Amino acid sequence: MAVDILAAVYEFVKAYAYNPEDANSKPLTADQIIRAGLNDAPVVSTSTELCIIAHVSTIRHGTNHYQYEYDQSQESYKERASEMLEHIISIDFLSAEPMQRQEITAERAQIIELLARSPTAVKFFAKYGLSSLFAENVTNVTGWDETKNYTARYNVQLHLGQRFNVATDADFFTRVNVRSVKAHTPETRESAPGWMLTENVDNNHD
């Protein structure tokens, strides 16, 4: 089953990237969370606080695993190949609010980093067929942006695991016809007779 990984992270950020015990910390709205790569989805938010989610890379771990399945009702045989993937997702929390709002942006990143290492994230991402492995430490990359504005920016990278698999049709057989015959070589025809299993053997030797 195909998994929209950025959509899963989007929902995670939307649900948890705020402090419910802080009156100044509010959940990010849908137009404040941007999924990188959606070229047909322009930024329409007028807020000075945004979150950008991007897929950094995918790492393959281990070797392929194969499983064979026989469907008796369809008389078909499937070869299912699977591999373990690790997706690295970058989450940027940005704010151009006055400096007294910078700690709110930093707190959002810290909350996501904390929960990504907890059972909360494990249960959340399991619904999407993903495993929450861990999160890297929050990185402060605050500075001047391309518009010459001073922007608070905190980055956290999530590592998500996925068992990816694909099934293909495979050849198979349902019966094997094996018979035993006495076989000799010219050198051992009389002295060392033996037995072997074969489908078709010519026993005549000149």
mmCIF file of all heavy atoms in Angstrom, residues 98-139:
data_model
loop_
_atom_site.group_PDB
_atom_site.id
_atom_site.type_symbol
_atom_site.label_atom_id
_atom_site.label_comp_id
_atom_site.label_asym_id
_atom_site.label_seq_id
_atom_site.Cartn_x
_atom_site.Cartn_y
_atom_site.Cartn_z
ATOM 1 N N PRO A 98 7.870 39.383 16.411
ATOM 2 C CA PRO A 98 8.876 40.044 17.255
ATOM 3 C C PRO A 98 9.590 39.028 18.132
ATOM 4 O O PRO A 98 9.096 37.926 18.375
ATOM 5 C CB PRO A 98 8.033 41.030 18.085
ATOM 6 C CG PRO A 98 6.853 41.314 17.220
ATOM 7 C CD PRO A 98 6.561 40.027 16.486
ATOM 8 N N MET A 99 10.730 39.390 18.625
ATOM 9 C CA MET A 99 11.603 38.446 19.309
ATOM 10 C C MET A 99 10.944 37.753 20.498
ATOM 11 O O MET A 99 11.305 36.640 20.858
ATOM 12 C CB MET A 99 12.869 39.166 19.767
ATOM 13 C CG MET A 99 13.805 39.523 18.633
ATOM 14 S SD MET A 99 14.326 38.093 17.671
ATOM 15 C CE MET A 99 15.245 37.195 18.894
ATOM 16 N N GLN A 100 9.955 38.369 21.130
ATOM 17 C CA GLN A 100 9.334 37.721 22.278
ATOM 18 C C GLN A 100 8.538 36.479 21.865
ATOM 19 O O GLN A 100 8.166 35.679 22.714
ATOM 20 C CB GLN A 100 8.408 38.681 23.039
ATOM 21 C CG GLN A 100 7.191 39.154 22.263
ATOM 22 C CD GLN A 100 7.458 40.467 21.565
ATOM 23 O OE1 GLN A 100 8.619 40.796 21.301
ATOM 24 N NE2 GLN A 100 6.413 41.226 21.270
ATOM 25 N N ARG A 101 8.282 36.298 20.544
ATOM 26 C CA ARG A 101 7.569 35.123 20.063
ATOM 27 C C ARG A 101 8.518 34.007 19.642
ATOM 28 O O ARG A 101 8.073 32.920 19.299
ATOM 29 C CB ARG A 101 6.693 35.500 18.859
ATOM 30 C CG ARG A 101 5.660 36.572 19.146
ATOM 31 C CD ARG A 101 4.576 36.046 20.034
ATOM 32 N NE ARG A 101 3.848 34.953 19.403
ATOM 33 C CZ ARG A 101 2.899 34.245 19.998
ATOM 34 N NH1 ARG A 101 2.592 34.487 21.257
ATOM 35 N NH2 ARG A 101 2.278 33.281 19.348
ATOM 36 N N GLN A 102 9.795 34.249 19.668
ATOM 37 C CA GLN A 102 10.748 33.255 19.200
ATOM 38 C C GLN A 102 10.698 31.999 20.048
ATOM 39 O O GLN A 102 10.850 30.889 19.534
ATOM 40 C CB GLN A 102 12.163 33.836 19.206
ATOM 41 C CG GLN A 102 13.214 32.893 18.626
ATOM 42 C CD GLN A 102 14.540 33.591 18.391
ATOM 43 O OE1 GLN A 102 14.613 34.821 18.473
ATOM 44 N NE2 GLN A 102 15.557 32.831 18.107
ATOM 45 N N GLU A 103 10.455 32.134 21.333
ATOM 46 C CA GLU A 103 10.440 30.954 22.196
ATOM 47 C C GLU A 103 9.255 30.034 21.877
ATOM 48 O O GLU A 103 9.331 28.824 22.110
ATOM 49 C CB GLU A 103 10.414 31.365 23.673
ATOM 50 C CG GLU A 103 9.118 32.032 24.139
ATOM 51 C CD GLU A 103 9.093 33.523 23.891
ATOM 52 O OE1 GLU A 103 9.989 34.026 23.192
ATOM 53 O OE2 GLU A 103 8.169 34.176 24.417
ATOM 54 N N ILE A 104 8.172 30.584 21.338
ATOM 55 C CA ILE A 104 7.026 29.751 20.953
ATOM 56 C C ILE A 104 7.409 28.854 19.782
ATOM 57 O O ILE A 104 7.096 27.661 19.751
ATOM 58 C CB ILE A 104 5.817 30.626 20.576
ATOM 59 C CG1 ILE A 104 5.392 31.499 21.760
ATOM 60 C CG2 ILE A 104 4.666 29.748 20.101
ATOM 61 C CD1 ILE A 104 4.917 30.717 22.960
ATOM 62 N N THR A 105 8.116 29.433 18.816
ATOM 63 C CA THR A 105 8.572 28.662 17.660
ATOM 64 C C THR A 105 9.556 27.581 18.085
ATOM 65 O O THR A 105 9.482 26.431 17.616
ATOM 66 C CB THR A 105 9.230 29.600 16.628
ATOM 67 O OG1 THR A 105 8.314 30.633 16.288
ATOM 68 C CG2 THR A 105 9.608 28.834 15.367
ATOM 69 N N ALA A 106 10.470 27.934 18.976
ATOM 70 C CA ALA A 106 11.440 26.954 19.464
ATOM 71 C C ALA A 106 10.742 25.830 20.222
ATOM 72 O O ALA A 106 11.114 24.652 20.123
ATOM 73 C CB ALA A 106 12.463 27.642 20.357
ATOM 74 N N GLU A 107 9.704 26.182 20.960
ATOM 75 C CA GLU A 107 8.988 25.180 21.744
ATOM 76 C C GLU A 107 8.272 24.178 20.845
ATOM 77 O O GLU A 107 8.214 22.984 21.163
ATOM 78 C CB GLU A 107 7.982 25.873 22.666
ATOM 79 C CG GLU A 107 7.279 24.912 23.624
ATOM 80 C CD GLU A 107 6.278 25.628 24.509
ATOM 81 O OE1 GLU A 107 5.463 26.414 23.965
ATOM 82 O OE2 GLU A 107 6.302 25.392 25.727
ATOM 83 N N ARG A 108 7.747 24.643 19.736
ATOM 84 C CA ARG A 108 7.070 23.726 18.807
ATOM 85 C C ARG A 108 8.035 22.632 18.348
ATOM 86 O O ARG A 108 7.690 21.444 18.327
ATOM 87 C CB ARG A 108 6.527 24.489 17.603
ATOM 88 C CG ARG A 108 5.421 25.485 17.895
ATOM 89 C CD ARG A 108 4.853 26.032 16.594
ATOM 90 N NE ARG A 108 4.015 27.204 16.791
ATOM 91 C CZ ARG A 108 2.742 27.175 17.140
ATOM 92 N NH1 ARG A 108 2.157 26.013 17.357
ATOM 93 N NH2 ARG A 108 2.043 28.293 17.279
ATOM 94 N N ALA A 109 9.219 23.036 17.942
ATOM 95 C CA ALA A 109 10.211 22.065 17.471
ATOM 96 C C ALA A 109 10.593 21.103 18.594
ATOM 97 O O ALA A 109 10.748 19.891 18.374
ATOM 98 C CB ALA A 109 11.438 22.785 16.939
ATOM 99 N N GLN A 110 10.740 21.634 19.817
ATOM 100 C CA GLN A 110 11.146 20.791 20.938
ATOM 101 C C GLN A 110 10.060 19.781 21.293
ATOM 102 O O GLN A 110 10.351 18.629 21.647
ATOM 103 C CB GLN A 110 11.467 21.650 22.161
ATOM 104 C CG GLN A 110 12.384 20.961 23.164
ATOM 105 C CD GLN A 110 13.755 20.676 22.575
ATOM 106 O OE1 GLN A 110 14.431 21.568 22.084
ATOM 107 N NE2 GLN A 110 14.163 19.403 22.624
ATOM 108 N N ILE A 111 8.800 20.181 21.168
ATOM 109 C CA ILE A 111 7.692 19.262 21.446
ATOM 110 C C ILE A 111 7.676 18.112 20.439
ATOM 111 O O ILE A 111 7.518 16.944 20.812
ATOM 112 C CB ILE A 111 6.350 20.025 21.418
ATOM 113 C CG1 ILE A 111 6.255 20.961 22.624
ATOM 114 C CG2 ILE A 111 5.172 19.051 21.397
ATOM 115 C CD1 ILE A 111 5.074 21.893 22.587
ATOM 116 N N ILE A 112 7.849 18.451 19.166
ATOM 117 C CA ILE A 112 7.856 17.401 18.136
ATOM 118 C C ILE A 112 9.031 16.454 18.346
ATOM 119 O O ILE A 112 8.900 15.227 18.211
ATOM 120 C CB ILE A 112 7.900 18.038 16.731
ATOM 121 C CG1 ILE A 112 6.590 18.758 16.431
ATOM 122 C CG2 ILE A 112 8.186 16.981 15.668
ATOM 123 C CD1 ILE A 112 5.363 17.866 16.458
ATOM 124 N N GLU A 113 10.203 16.996 18.676
ATOM 125 C CA GLU A 113 11.376 16.146 18.940
ATOM 126 C C GLU A 113 11.114 15.217 20.113
ATOM 127 O O GLU A 113 11.468 14.030 20.092
ATOM 128 C CB GLU A 113 12.588 17.036 19.197
ATOM 129 C CG GLU A 113 13.901 16.278 19.396
ATOM 130 C CD GLU A 113 14.150 15.927 20.848
ATOM 131 O OE1 GLU A 113 13.547 16.546 21.742
ATOM 132 O OE2 GLU A 113 14.961 14.996 21.102
ATOM 133 N N LEU A 114 10.485 15.739 21.162
ATOM 134 C CA LEU A 114 10.213 14.941 22.348
ATOM 135 C C LEU A 114 9.197 13.844 22.070
ATOM 136 O O LEU A 114 9.412 12.674 22.411
ATOM 137 C CB LEU A 114 9.716 15.857 23.471
ATOM 138 C CG LEU A 114 9.254 15.181 24.767
ATOM 139 C CD1 LEU A 114 10.407 14.426 25.414
ATOM 140 C CD2 LEU A 114 8.676 16.214 25.727
ATOM 141 N N LEU A 115 8.087 14.200 21.428
ATOM 142 C CA LEU A 115 7.031 13.220 21.180
ATOM 143 C C LEU A 115 7.440 12.178 20.146
ATOM 144 O O LEU A 115 6.937 11.051 20.164
ATOM 145 C CB LEU A 115 5.754 13.929 20.729
ATOM 146 C CG LEU A 115 5.056 14.783 21.789
ATOM 147 C CD1 LEU A 115 3.786 15.394 21.226
ATOM 148 C CD2 LEU A 115 4.753 13.971 23.033
ATOM 149 N N ALA A 116 8.340 12.548 19.218
ATOM 150 C CA ALA A 116 8.803 11.584 18.211
ATOM 151 C C ALA A 116 9.570 10.436 18.850
ATOM 152 O O ALA A 116 9.731 9.378 18.230
ATOM 153 C CB ALA A 116 9.667 12.285 17.172
ATOM 154 N N ARG A 117 10.041 10.637 20.074
ATOM 155 C CA ARG A 117 10.759 9.581 20.803
ATOM 156 C C ARG A 117 9.877 8.924 21.858
ATOM 157 O O ARG A 117 10.398 8.309 22.794
ATOM 158 C CB ARG A 117 11.989 10.176 21.476
ATOM 159 C CG ARG A 117 12.968 10.862 20.526
ATOM 160 C CD ARG A 117 14.135 11.438 21.295
ATOM 161 N NE ARG A 117 15.061 12.148 20.412
ATOM 162 C CZ ARG A 117 16.384 12.082 20.533
ATOM 163 N NH1 ARG A 117 16.923 11.346 21.469
ATOM 164 N NH2 ARG A 117 17.159 12.761 19.707
ATOM 165 N N SER A 118 8.577 9.064 21.727
ATOM 166 C CA SER A 118 7.658 8.570 22.749
ATOM 167 C C SER A 118 6.644 7.601 22.150
ATOM 168 O O SER A 118 6.483 7.520 20.924
ATOM 169 C CB SER A 118 6.914 9.754 23.379
ATOM 170 O OG SER A 118 5.940 10.254 22.472
ATOM 171 N N PRO A 119 5.913 6.873 23.021
ATOM 172 C CA PRO A 119 4.854 5.979 22.514
ATOM 173 C C PRO A 119 3.756 6.717 21.753
ATOM 174 O O PRO A 119 3.064 6.112 20.934
ATOM 175 C CB PRO A 119 4.306 5.345 23.806
ATOM 176 C CG PRO A 119 5.433 5.424 24.784
ATOM 177 C CD PRO A 119 6.137 6.718 24.474
ATOM 178 N N THR A 120 3.607 8.013 22.004
ATOM 179 C CA THR A 120 2.589 8.786 21.288
ATOM 180 C C THR A 120 2.821 8.734 19.780
ATOM 181 O O THR A 120 1.900 8.496 18.993
ATOM 182 C CB THR A 120 2.598 10.253 21.765
ATOM 183 O OG1 THR A 120 2.265 10.296 23.149
ATOM 184 C CG2 THR A 120 1.598 11.088 20.984
ATOM 185 N N ALA A 121 4.070 8.960 19.369
ATOM 186 C CA ALA A 121 4.388 8.932 17.938
ATOM 187 C C ALA A 121 4.313 7.513 17.383
ATOM 188 O O ALA A 121 3.898 7.311 16.237
ATOM 189 C CB ALA A 121 5.775 9.515 17.704
ATOM 190 N N VAL A 122 4.713 6.543 18.178
ATOM 191 C CA VAL A 122 4.654 5.145 17.720
ATOM 192 C C VAL A 122 3.219 4.767 17.370
ATOM 193 O O VAL A 122 2.945 4.204 16.301
ATOM 194 C CB VAL A 122 5.218 4.205 18.797
ATOM 195 C CG1 VAL A 122 4.988 2.740 18.395
ATOM 196 C CG2 VAL A 122 6.706 4.459 19.014
ATOM 197 N N LYS A 123 2.280 5.095 18.256
ATOM 198 C CA LYS A 123 0.870 4.780 18.008
ATOM 199 C C LYS A 123 0.318 5.598 16.840
ATOM 200 O O LYS A 123 -0.461 5.094 16.024
ATOM 201 C CB LYS A 123 0.056 5.051 19.269
ATOM 202 C CG LYS A 123 0.401 4.141 20.440
ATOM 203 C CD LYS A 123 -0.393 4.519 21.678
ATOM 204 C CE LYS A 123 -0.005 3.644 22.866
ATOM 205 N NZ LYS A 123 -0.742 4.035 24.097
ATOM 206 N N PHE A 124 0.724 6.859 16.753
ATOM 207 C CA PHE A 124 0.196 7.735 15.704
ATOM 208 C C PHE A 124 0.598 7.246 14.317
ATOM 209 O O PHE A 124 -0.241 7.100 13.425
ATOM 210 C CB PHE A 124 0.695 9.163 15.925
ATOM 211 C CG PHE A 124 0.134 10.155 14.948
ATOM 212 C CD1 PHE A 124 -1.036 10.839 15.222
ATOM 213 C CD2 PHE A 124 0.771 10.400 13.736
ATOM 214 C CE1 PHE A 124 -1.567 11.748 14.313
ATOM 215 C CE2 PHE A 124 0.248 11.304 12.818
ATOM 216 C CZ PHE A 124 -0.926 11.984 13.109
ATOM 217 N N PHE A 125 1.884 6.993 14.111
ATOM 218 C CA PHE A 125 2.362 6.627 12.776
ATOM 219 C C PHE A 125 2.031 5.184 12.405
ATOM 220 O O PHE A 125 2.070 4.827 11.218
ATOM 221 C CB PHE A 125 3.863 6.885 12.668
ATOM 222 C CG PHE A 125 4.210 8.341 12.566
ATOM 223 C CD1 PHE A 125 4.807 9.010 13.623
ATOM 224 C CD2 PHE A 125 3.928 9.058 11.416
ATOM 225 C CE1 PHE A 125 5.127 10.354 13.535
ATOM 226 C CE2 PHE A 125 4.232 10.406 11.310
ATOM 227 C CZ PHE A 125 4.832 11.058 12.378
ATOM 228 N N ALA A 126 1.716 4.355 13.397
ATOM 229 C CA ALA A 126 1.335 2.970 13.091
ATOM 230 C C ALA A 126 0.080 2.929 12.237
ATOM 231 O O ALA A 126 -0.115 2.003 11.437
ATOM 232 C CB ALA A 126 1.126 2.188 14.389
ATOM 233 N N LYS A 127 -0.780 3.935 12.359
ATOM 234 C CA LYS A 127 -2.007 3.995 11.545
ATOM 235 C C LYS A 127 -1.689 4.127 10.063
ATOM 236 O O LYS A 127 -2.515 3.786 9.216
ATOM 237 C CB LYS A 127 -2.864 5.186 11.994
ATOM 238 C CG LYS A 127 -3.335 5.135 13.430
ATOM 239 C CD LYS A 127 -4.183 6.337 13.776
ATOM 240 C CE LYS A 127 -3.424 7.638 13.641
ATOM 241 N NZ LYS A 127 -4.225 8.817 14.061
ATOM 242 N N TYR A 128 -0.506 4.651 9.751
ATOM 243 C CA TYR A 128 -0.094 4.859 8.360
ATOM 244 C C TYR A 128 0.862 3.765 7.876
ATOM 245 O O TYR A 128 1.411 3.876 6.780
ATOM 246 C CB TYR A 128 0.579 6.220 8.213
ATOM 247 C CG TYR A 128 -0.309 7.389 8.574
ATOM 248 C CD1 TYR A 128 -0.371 7.867 9.873
ATOM 249 C CD2 TYR A 128 -1.090 8.015 7.602
ATOM 250 C CE1 TYR A 128 -1.186 8.942 10.211
ATOM 251 C CE2 TYR A 128 -1.913 9.085 7.932
ATOM 252 C CZ TYR A 128 -1.953 9.540 9.240
ATOM 253 O OH TYR A 128 -2.767 10.608 9.565
ATOM 254 N N GLY A 129 1.077 2.750 8.691
ATOM 255 C CA GLY A 129 2.022 1.698 8.319
ATOM 256 C C GLY A 129 3.468 2.127 8.478
ATOM 257 O O GLY A 129 4.353 1.566 7.831
ATOM 258 N N LEU A 130 3.722 3.113 9.342
ATOM 259 C CA LEU A 130 5.063 3.636 9.568
ATOM 260 C C LEU A 130 5.490 3.392 11.008
ATOM 261 O O LEU A 130 4.658 3.249 11.905
ATOM 262 C CB LEU A 130 5.114 5.139 9.271
ATOM 263 C CG LEU A 130 4.755 5.569 7.848
ATOM 264 C CD1 LEU A 130 4.618 7.087 7.779
ATOM 265 C CD2 LEU A 130 5.800 5.083 6.856
ATOM 266 N N SER A 131 6.805 3.369 11.215
ATOM 267 C CA SER A 131 7.368 3.246 12.553
ATOM 268 C C SER A 131 8.111 4.527 12.905
ATOM 269 O O SER A 131 8.928 5.002 12.115
ATOM 270 C CB SER A 131 8.340 2.060 12.631
ATOM 271 O OG SER A 131 7.703 0.854 12.275
ATOM 272 N N SER A 132 7.817 5.073 14.067
ATOM 273 C CA SER A 132 8.555 6.248 14.532
ATOM 274 C C SER A 132 9.838 5.763 15.194
ATOM 275 O O SER A 132 9.809 5.196 16.292
ATOM 276 C CB SER A 132 7.711 7.053 15.523
ATOM 277 O OG SER A 132 8.401 8.215 15.949
ATOM 278 N N LEU A 133 10.970 5.954 14.525
ATOM 279 C CA LEU A 133 12.243 5.441 15.018
ATOM 280 C C LEU A 133 12.868 6.380 16.050
ATOM 281 O O LEU A 133 13.084 6.008 17.190
ATOM 282 C CB LEU A 133 13.201 5.213 13.854
ATOM 283 C CG LEU A 133 12.679 4.274 12.750
ATOM 284 C CD1 LEU A 133 13.678 4.173 11.608
ATOM 285 C CD2 LEU A 133 12.362 2.900 13.323
ATOM 286 N N PHE A 134 13.146 7.604 15.646
ATOM 287 C CA PHE A 134 13.697 8.595 16.569
ATOM 288 C C PHE A 134 13.716 9.952 15.888
ATOM 289 O O PHE A 134 13.399 10.077 14.697
ATOM 290 C CB PHE A 134 15.116 8.220 17.030
ATOM 291 C CG PHE A 134 16.165 8.299 15.950
ATOM 292 C CD1 PHE A 134 16.988 9.416 15.836
ATOM 293 C CD2 PHE A 134 16.345 7.262 15.053
ATOM 294 C CE1 PHE A 134 17.954 9.490 14.844
ATOM 295 C CE2 PHE A 134 17.300 7.318 14.062
ATOM 296 C CZ PHE A 134 18.113 8.447 13.959
ATOM 297 N N ALA A 135 14.076 10.985 16.643
ATOM 298 C CA ALA A 135 14.223 12.333 16.101
ATOM 299 C C ALA A 135 15.583 12.872 16.507
ATOM 300 O O ALA A 135 16.077 12.591 17.599
ATOM 301 C CB ALA A 135 13.118 13.248 16.609
ATOM 302 N N GLU A 136 16.185 13.632 15.617
ATOM 303 C CA GLU A 136 17.467 14.249 15.940
ATOM 304 C C GLU A 136 17.249 15.482 16.806
ATOM 305 O O GLU A 136 16.129 16.006 16.915
ATOM 306 C CB GLU A 136 18.203 14.626 14.644
ATOM 307 C CG GLU A 136 18.540 13.421 13.781
ATOM 308 C CD GLU A 136 19.302 13.791 12.529
ATOM 309 O OE1 GLU A 136 19.935 14.862 12.513
ATOM 310 O OE2 GLU A 136 19.251 13.007 11.556
ATOM 311 N N ASN A 137 18.309 15.953 17.439
ATOM 312 C CA ASN A 137 18.206 17.132 18.288
ATOM 313 C C ASN A 137 17.762 18.343 17.478
ATOM 314 O O ASN A 137 18.087 18.472 16.292
ATOM 315 C CB ASN A 137 19.546 17.428 18.958
ATOM 316 C CG ASN A 137 19.953 16.341 19.934
ATOM 317 O OD1 ASN A 137 19.105 15.641 20.491
ATOM 318 N ND2 ASN A 137 21.249 16.195 20.148
ATOM 319 N N VAL A 138 17.048 19.238 18.124
ATOM 320 C CA VAL A 138 16.591 20.467 17.470
ATOM 321 C C VAL A 138 17.799 21.339 17.131
ATOM 322 O O VAL A 138 18.709 21.514 17.953
ATOM 323 C CB VAL A 138 15.623 21.239 18.377
ATOM 324 C CG1 VAL A 138 15.249 22.580 17.741
ATOM 325 C CG2 VAL A 138 14.379 20.403 18.646
ATOM 326 N N THR A 139 17.782 21.883 15.913
ATOM 327 C CA THR A 139 18.867 22.756 15.458
ATOM 328 C C THR A 139 18.338 24.174 15.268
ATOM 329 O O THR A 139 17.311 24.374 14.608
ATOM 330 C CB THR A 139 19.455 22.251 14.134
ATOM 331 O OG1 THR A 139 19.908 20.898 14.297
ATOM 332 C CG2 THR A 139 20.628 23.117 13.695
#
